């Protein structure tokens, strides 16, 4: 019997510059050309987002920083500037590589059994910038990985992309039981925030942030039982009639997010159907669902916090308790929506703060353009005191 691939050594980090939600709301509300209706929507969206602080690579947005040349914010007038997409992408190429390398290094340093020489595959994930050679190459060069490491980049998929990355890693391990896959996600969403009267842009501005996460996936029989998860199964579903409600396109002054107010309702209405194949693919869960609610069968929930309304709808529809949604809500409150990296932050928080016991089940899910719903089933591995 093959050993299941295990997700271990999850590490997360954020840029140093911190954005206080109330301060960012004031900046957006006082921009020239913002209509009365937009000001009301800004106040409502920022107050109701469930976010308290976020982080950004744009030091100039932090009032305590010193800035030689303004690119995004004129401090004298308080006006948000509109750098072109090329200027934003130049910052991405520099700052994203730094975070990719640091997150990958931390994940390797956190694992007593695996080192750079063990890595056979690198999977990088990002949707907030482009450059080649890309972050996969930067990680190999900076950390001294073998030049023969297989490299893959999942780009422009949006908030759900970490789950396909983990699925690919699990498949590599199934094909080669000795494989060690380094998965790294970095998103610099704040590079694309802009002033607008458009409701979709306002909602995006109230939620998105920068962050990085990395982890190792392997089916090797390793001596140290680190806290982590076995990767049991994955499922992809397309939510009907949602294609126009969440999208991600390239504009002249940054990438442009479509995130309509219908998204929470669409997810809430369709979440049961989207997850049903995942439950039915697991013999134990399929059997127990006839006798118990899903929240009793699956103890932990790593729900991508795309926004407070999305978490509210998922909790209500699936009958989950407040404790089960606490990791997702706390990540949203402290870090905002960091696109694809966010679900790894939630999984790490479950390990660090929820005292999971080996054998307990975990459901992970994330939503993105399409409207695509990606989900995964995991099992808590390792020992409770293995730190």
């Amino acid at each position: 019997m093959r050993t299941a691939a295990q997700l271990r050594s999850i590490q997360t980090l954020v840029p140093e510059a911190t954005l206080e939600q109330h301060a960012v709301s004031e900046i957006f509300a006082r921009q020239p050309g913002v209509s009365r209706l937009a000001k009301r929507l800004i106040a409502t969206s920022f107050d109701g987002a469930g976010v308290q602080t976020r982080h950004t690579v744009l030091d100039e947005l932090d009032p305590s920083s010193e800035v030689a040349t303004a690119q995004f914010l004129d401090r004298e007038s308080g006006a948000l500037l509109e750098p072109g997409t090329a200027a934003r992408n130049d910052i991405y190429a520099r700052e994203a590589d730094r975070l990719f390398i640091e997150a990958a290094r931390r994940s390797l340093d956190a694992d007593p059994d695996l080192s750079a020489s063990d890595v056979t595959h690198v999977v990088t994930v990002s949707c907030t910038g482009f450059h080649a050679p890309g972050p996969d190459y930067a990680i190999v060069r900076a950390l001294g990985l073998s030049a023969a490491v297989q490299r893959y980049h999942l780009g422009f998929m949006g908030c759900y992309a970490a789950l396909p990355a983990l699925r690919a890693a699990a498949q590599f391990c199934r094909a080669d039981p000795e494989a060690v896959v380094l998965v790294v996600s970095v998103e610099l969403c704040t590079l694309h925030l802009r002033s607008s009267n458009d409701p979709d842009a306002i909602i995006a501005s109230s939620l998105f942030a920068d962050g990085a996460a990395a982890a190792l996936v392997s089916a090797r029989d390793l001596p140290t039982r680190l806290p982590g998860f076995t990767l049991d199964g994955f499922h992809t579903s397309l939510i009907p009639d949602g294609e126009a409600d969440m999208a991600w396109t390239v504009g002249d002054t940054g990438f442009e997010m479509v995130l309509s107010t219908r998204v929470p309702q669409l997810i809430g209405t369709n979440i049961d159907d989207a997850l049903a194949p995942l439950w039915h693919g697991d013999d134990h869960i399929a059997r127990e669902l006839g006798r118990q609610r899903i929240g009793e069968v699956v103890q932990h929930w790593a729900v991508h916090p795309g926004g407070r309304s999305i978490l509210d709808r998922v909790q209500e529809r699936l009958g989950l308790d407040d404790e089960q949604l606490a990791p997702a809500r706390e990540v949203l409150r402290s870090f905002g929506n960091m696109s694809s990296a966010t679900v790894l932050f939630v999984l790490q928080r479950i390990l660090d703060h929820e005292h999971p016991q080996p054998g307990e089940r975990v459901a992970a899910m994330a939503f993105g353009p399409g409207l695509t719903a990606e989900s995964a089933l995991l099992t808590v591995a390792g020992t409770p005191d293995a730190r």
Side-chain angles (χ1 to χ4, degrees):
M1 181 177 178
R2 290 183 175 180
T3 303
Q6 182 174 335
L7 173 66
R8 51 192 278 147
S9 301
I10 302 174
Q11 297 292 305
T12 61
L13 69 152
V14 292
E16 292 183 0
T18 302
L19 302 177
E20 299 287 345
Q21 184 76 339
H22 65 88
V24 181
S25 177
E26 291 173 2
I27 291 173
F28 276 86
R30 64 173 180 254
Q31 293 307 302
V34 173
S35 68
R36 285 186 179 182
L37 178 60
K39 288 182 179 181
R40 289 198 295 271
L41 183 54
I42 288 169
T44 301
S45 296
F46 278 76
D47 289 346
V51 177
Q52 182 174 319
T53 55
R54 291 180 275 171
H55 293 264
T56 178
V57 294
L58 299 175
D59 289 340
E60 64 186 281
L61 298 183
D62 183 347
S64 65
S65 67
E66 295 183 4
V67 178
T69 304
Q71 282 187 282
F72 286 81
L73 177 66
D74 185 326
R75 290 191 175 179
E76 290 188 8
S77 66
L80 287 168
L81 306 177
E82 294 187 346
T85 301
R88 298 174 194 254
N89 199 67
D90 285 346
I91 298 172
Y92 172 88
R94 179 179 69 250
E95 297 295 332
D97 274 6
R98 178 178 64 82
L99 291 169
F100 268 110
I101 292 166
E102 180 59 22
R105 179 180 286 114
R106 290 188 186 188
S107 185
L108 284 167
D109 287 348
D111 199 309
D113 300 325
L114 297 172
S115 64
S117 62
D118 292 299
V119 176
T120 58
H121 301 70
V122 172
V123 181
T124 52
V125 184
S126 191
C127 69
T128 46
F130 300 97
H131 66 104
D136 51 318
Y137 174 88
I139 289 169
V140 168
R141 298 288 288 186
L143 300 187
L145 306 187
S146 168
V149 163
Q150 297 181 40
R151 297 182 280 124
Y152 302 87
H153 181 71
L154 302 186
F156 222 61
M157 296 177 74
C159 294
Y160 65 78
L163 294 180
L166 294 179
R167 180 174 57 218
Q171 290 170 342
F172 294 148
C173 293
R174 189 175 300 117
D176 176 7
E178 291 301 305
V180 174
V181 187
L182 176 59
V183 177
V184 193
S185 169
V186 173
E187 301 289 10
L188 306 185
C189 305
T190 64
L191 291 178
H192 306 290
L193 301 184
R194 66 191 194 282
S195 177
S196 176
N197 287 317
D198 178 66
D200 291 344
I202 291 171
I203 293 171
S205 297
S206 73
L207 288 169
F208 283 96
D210 302 349
L216 292 165
V217 177
S218 182
R220 289 188 186 182
D221 185 12
L222 299 169
T224 307
R225 297 186 64 199
L226 290 180
F229 308 97
T230 59
L231 300 173
D232 303 329
F234 296 86
H235 181 68
T236 302
S237 180
L238 294 179
I239 291 176
D241 303 321
E243 183 176 355
D245 292 280
M246 190 183 293
W248 191 221
T249 60
V250 179
D252 292 334
T253 54
F255 299 173
E256 298 174 0
M257 168 61 73
V258 175
L259 187 63
S260 85
T261 55
R262 294 182 66 229
V263 169
Q265 177 186 351
L266 287 168
I267 290 173
T269 301
N270 293 277
I271 192 67
D272 285 327
D273 290 340
L275 295 176
L278 190 69
W279 310 147
H280 293 152
D282 185 278
D283 290 342
H284 173 73
I285 292 177
R287 182 172 62 253
E288 292 301 314
L289 272 181
R291 298 190 286 261
Q292 301 182 76
R293 293 182 296 105
I294 188 60
E296 296 171 318
V297 183
V298 177
Q299 292 82 14
H300 304 282
W301 293 77
V303 183
H304 169 72
R308 190 171 73 178
S309 296
I310 289 176
L311 295 179
D312 289 346
R313 290 300 180 97
V314 170
Q315 180 174 3
E316 177 185 2
R317 188 69 176 182
L318 297 179
L320 307 179
D321 61 37
D322 290 344
E323 186 177 349
Q324 289 172 310
L325 265 290
R329 293 192 191 277
E330 180 57 29
V331 168
L332 180 65
R333 186 186 72 82
S334 301
F335 302 107
N337 181 344
M338 299 164 286
S339 192
S340 66
T342 320
V343 73
L344 289 169
F345 275 71
V346 181
L347 286 168
Q348 184 191 49
R349 185 165 185 85
I350 289 172
L351 288 177
D352 291 347
H353 297 278
E354 301 303 310
H355 310 292
Q357 298 301 305
E360 290 182 340
R361 307 304 298 276
V362 183
M365 65 189 73
F367 314 98
L371 184 60
T372 302
E374 288 281 353
S375 56
L377 264 179
L378 305 89
T379 301
V380 177
T383 57
D385 57 351
R387 294 286 174 208

